[in-house]
Amino acid sequence: MSSPIAHSLRKPAIASSLVPRREALPLFLIPSFSFSKSSTQCFATFGPSMGRKTRDRSRNRAVSALRGTGPRVPLTIHKEPLPKPVLDPSKRSKVEVDENHGLWQFFNKEGTTLTTPEKDHEHGRSWTVEELRQKSWEDLHSLWWVCVKERNRLATENFERQRLKAGYGDFEAEERDMAVRKTQRSIKHALTERFYAWEEARKIAKNDVEVDISGSGPAYTPRTFEEDIEEEPQAAEQGR
């Protein structure tokens, strides 16, 4: 007969024998028996250092329509009824529009949203530099702004054509815009030539006694015929 002391010493051996061995467990049950001390301490996925450090200053925090917590700032509400649209065209108020308003120049003369491709194709050639050399400053200035308004009209119709996805008129509008741009380039060419001609004339006028470009007196003071005759013998003597 065994003593109680020996019986108490065998209990741990019996208890340890009830725990299944790792080699005897199926593969899918092994993770459930491998507990770690760190995994059972905290269930949260973030550590204590990842908490909110600053104060939440959002005005819309805790605003819920389901719980009846509305905005903290009172809103202005008027009891006036909302305006209703007038569906009958005869009852609508007529708006007077100036026919000569400057914004009408962004549209064609017919007043339609888009110009037909046939109308855009009906245009002449661009102005050449040789033709613009004969024009005055006022004519070049007017022609330049005519080209600007034409390009604005084409850009407006191009934007509207893309918005409506019309699918036509792109080639004709681009061809017309190219002709207008060539005219503008010719105008710049003619004005650049005049600028360089003016600069060369200004350099020559500085050494001419008959021309005064200071602005204090007459710009041109021609010499008399006797002064020209006196200079001719002096020039002949210096040549000898």
Side-chain angles (χ1 to χ4, degrees):
M1 185 173 181
S2 61
S3 62
I5 298 175
H7 181 72
S8 61
L9 293 174
R10 293 193 188 99
K11 284 183 178 180
I14 296 173
S16 61
S17 63
L18 295 176
V19 179
R21 294 184 179 180
R22 190 179 183 91
E23 293 80 4
L25 291 175
L27 296 177
F28 61 90
L29 290 179
I30 292 177
S32 62
F33 282 91
S34 58
F35 297 103
S36 61
K37 189 175 182 180
S38 61
S39 62
T40 57
Q41 286 180 354
C42 182
F43 183 73
T45 57
F46 56 89
S49 62
M50 297 178 62
R52 185 183 296 276
K53 296 182 180 180
T54 58
R55 183 181 176 182
D56 187 9
R57 301 183 182 273
S58 177
R59 295 181 179 272
N60 297 325
R61 187 70 64 191
V63 176
S64 175
L66 298 177
R67 298 183 181 276
T69 56
R72 301 171 186 177
V73 181
L75 302 178
T76 56
I77 301 176
H78 299 281
K79 296 183 179 180
E80 299 177 359
L82 296 176
K84 296 181 180 180
V86 181
L87 302 179
D88 189 3
S90 60
K91 297 181 180 180
R92 297 175 183 174
S93 59
K94 296 183 180 179
V95 181
E96 297 181 359
V97 181
D98 187 9
E99 297 181 356
N100 297 324
H101 198 278
L103 291 178
W104 285 115
Q105 298 180 5
F106 285 88
F107 303 93
N108 51 28
K109 296 180 180 179
E110 290 78 11
T112 57
T113 306
L114 297 177
T115 307
T116 59
E118 291 78 10
K119 286 288 184 180
D120 279 339
H121 186 67
E122 294 176 358
H123 63 86
R125 60 173 178 82
S126 57
W127 287 78
T128 61
V129 181
E130 290 77 10
E131 296 171 342
L132 295 176
R133 287 191 183 117
Q134 310 300 325
K135 298 294 182 180
S136 62
W137 164 256
E138 289 76 12
D139 293 341
L140 294 179
H141 183 78
S142 301
L143 181 59
W144 175 266
W145 285 108
V146 168
C147 294
V148 170
K149 290 189 291 185
E150 183 67 16
R151 292 198 64 190
N152 286 340
R153 183 190 68 82
L154 293 173
T156 303
E157 293 187 0
N158 186 28
F159 180 83
E160 189 69 13
R161 194 180 294 109
Q162 292 179 358
R163 187 183 68 86
L164 298 175
K165 297 180 180 180
Y168 65 88
D170 294 333
F171 176 77
E172 290 79 8
E174 185 178 357
E175 186 180 12
R176 190 184 186 97
D177 183 70
M178 184 59 66
V180 176
R181 291 174 61 184
K182 287 182 179 179
T183 299
Q184 288 182 313
R185 185 172 59 184
S186 300
I187 293 174
K188 289 182 178 180
H189 192 127
L191 292 177
T192 303
E193 289 181 351
R194 293 185 184 183
F195 172 76
Y196 284 119
W198 164 258
E199 289 294 325
E200 293 294 333
R202 189 171 62 86
K203 292 178 181 179
I204 297 174
K206 288 182 178 180
N207 302 324
D208 195 345
V209 295
E210 296 182 353
V211 180
D212 184 14
I213 60 176
S214 62
S216 57
Y220 178 67
T221 305
R223 294 183 299 179
T224 60
F225 181 72
E226 289 78 7
E227 294 176 352
D228 292 338
I229 294 176
E230 291 177 358
E231 288 184 358
E232 289 180 358
Q234 294 178 3
E237 292 177 359
Q238 292 177 2
R240 292 177 182 177

